[in-house]
């Protein structure tokens, strides 16, 4: 086990006014690990995920990626440059896809590599074709988002994130806006990434996915990590009463 965690979150706290959303959270993730974060709505799961790439900067605490502090205190111009650099290493997939409706699938995927990495249109197109093949959507390269199903949009969003060649992928409830029959097509892509040992942190309501695919599961409630451990332990023998109550409800609902 390496001495330095790949992702290291130290004493993370986040408040919106008087509302404490995250309370002194510590989380270490090793390279190639897949970590699921589960818990009720409003428990701070998405806020924690968004703190990793500074979309929701912490009120206090530190986020480190591969030995580099993500949330450094810098002057405005230095901070912008630093965060843009860091975000190239952190792919993120949102619940509602966030595709640009006026761009084709090709345009959505090639935009960031060209703008941020300065690669040629030819190279960006090659990247787009490669990543679309990976998510099984090669034939949709010139379609617009309005011509795609929800599951296809989410797979394009994953391809767009992967085109930046990130070191870690964050998934914020990537399947929760999808019809049930489309969930599995997105889960299959995430399972493929797991087989390729992509480091992933996944906020999910899909208990079966967390159980089958993830190395570790964190249960969050009211801004704290209540319990964490391997899926077998968390799902079969949770220690905390709050974890047991949450799982009882959710596993019954998903049967």
């Amino acid at each position: 086990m390496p001495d330095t965690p790949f992702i290291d979150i130290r004493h993370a706290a986040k408040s919106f006014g008087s509302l404490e959303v995250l309370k002194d959270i510590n989380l270490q993730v090793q390279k190639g690990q897949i970590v699921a974060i589960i818990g009720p709505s409003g428990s701070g799961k998405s806020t924690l995920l968004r703190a990793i790439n500074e979309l929701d900067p912490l009120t206090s605490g530190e986020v480190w990626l591969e030995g580099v502090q993500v949330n450094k205190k810098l002057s405005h111009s230095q901070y912008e440059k630093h965060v843009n650099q860091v975000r190239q290493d952190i792919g993120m997939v949102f619940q509602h896809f966030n595709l640009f409706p006026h761009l084709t699938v090709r345009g959505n995927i090639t935009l960031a590599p060209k703008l941020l990495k300065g690669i040629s249109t030819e190279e960006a197109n090659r990247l787009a074709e490669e990543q679309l093949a990976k998510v099984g959507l090669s034939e949709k390269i010139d379609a617009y988002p309005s011509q795609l199903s929800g599951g296809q949009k989410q797979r394009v969003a994953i391809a767009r994130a992967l085109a930046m060649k990130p070191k870690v992928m964050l998934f914020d409830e990537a399947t929760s806006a999808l019809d049930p029959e489309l969930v599995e097509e997105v889960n299959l892509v995430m399972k493929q990434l797991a087989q390729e040992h992509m480091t992933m942190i996944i906020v999910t309501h899909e208990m079966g996915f967390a159980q089958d695919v993830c190395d570790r599961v964190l249960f969050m409630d009211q801004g704290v990590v209540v319990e964490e451990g391997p899926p077998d332990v968390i799902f079969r023998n949770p220690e905390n009463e709050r974890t047991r109550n949450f799982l009882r409800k959710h596993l019954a609902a998903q049967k």
Side-chain angles (χ1 to χ4, degrees), residues 63-245:
V63 178
W64 293 75
L65 174 65
E66 223 178 8
V68 174
Q69 189 174 350
V70 173
N71 62 335
K72 283 182 188 174
K73 299 288 181 274
L74 297 166
S75 70
H76 181 69
S77 59
Q78 288 176 314
Y79 172 82
E80 291 294 316
K81 187 176 177 185
H82 168 68
V83 166
N84 283 338
Q85 190 62 48
V86 165
R87 284 181 183 156
Q88 291 183 37
D89 292 331
I90 304 173
M92 185 147 187
V93 178
F94 300 89
Q95 182 177 347
H96 293 293
F97 329 127
N98 290 16
L99 298 177
F100 293 111
H102 64 291
L103 295 178
T104 62
V105 167
R106 183 197 306 270
N108 268 283
I109 296 172
T110 58
L111 184 66
K114 288 196 290 188
L115 276 180
L116 297 174
K117 293 200 164 175
I119 68 174
S120 67
T121 299
E122 186 182 11
E123 172 69 0
N125 280 335
R126 188 190 63 72
L127 261 178
E129 287 163 9
E130 181 185 300
Q131 297 307 334
L132 279 176
K134 187 176 210 163
V135 300
L137 285 175
S138 296
E139 75 286 359
K140 298 292 185 184
I141 194 162
D142 293 314
Y144 283 89
S146 60
Q147 298 169 305
L148 305 177
S149 70
Q152 289 171 335
K153 286 177 191 171
Q154 197 58 292
R155 284 189 282 157
V156 170
I158 295 170
R160 177 178 61 179
L162 292 173
M164 291 297 288
K165 303 289 184 189
K167 295 175 179 176
V168 57
M169 286 285 285
L170 309 177
F171 292 88
D172 190 7
E173 307 213 19
T175 58
S176 63
L178 301 178
D179 294 334
E181 66 271 18
L182 300 177
V183 167
E184 190 52 30
E185 66 184 62
V186 175
N187 280 345
L188 281 171
V189 175
M190 292 162 71
K191 285 174 184 173
Q192 183 185 335
L193 291 176
Q195 287 164 1
E196 294 168 10
H197 307 293
M198 168 65 81
T199 309
M200 295 192 278
I201 303 179
I202 302 165
V203 170
T204 185
H205 285 297
E206 297 283 321
M207 299 301 134
F209 181 86
Q211 208 164 355
D212 296 344
V213 178
C214 299
D215 302 306
R216 282 164 63 206
V217 177
L218 270 69
F219 171 65
M220 284 184 69
D221 192 17
Q222 298 176 355
V224 297
V225 176
V226 175
E227 192 167 355
E228 69 170 293
D232 277 3
V233 173
I234 297 297
F235 285 102
R236 291 185 189 162
N237 195 23
E239 290 178 9
N240 192 283
E241 185 61 30
R242 280 196 275 175
T243 315
R244 286 198 290 271
N245 287 339

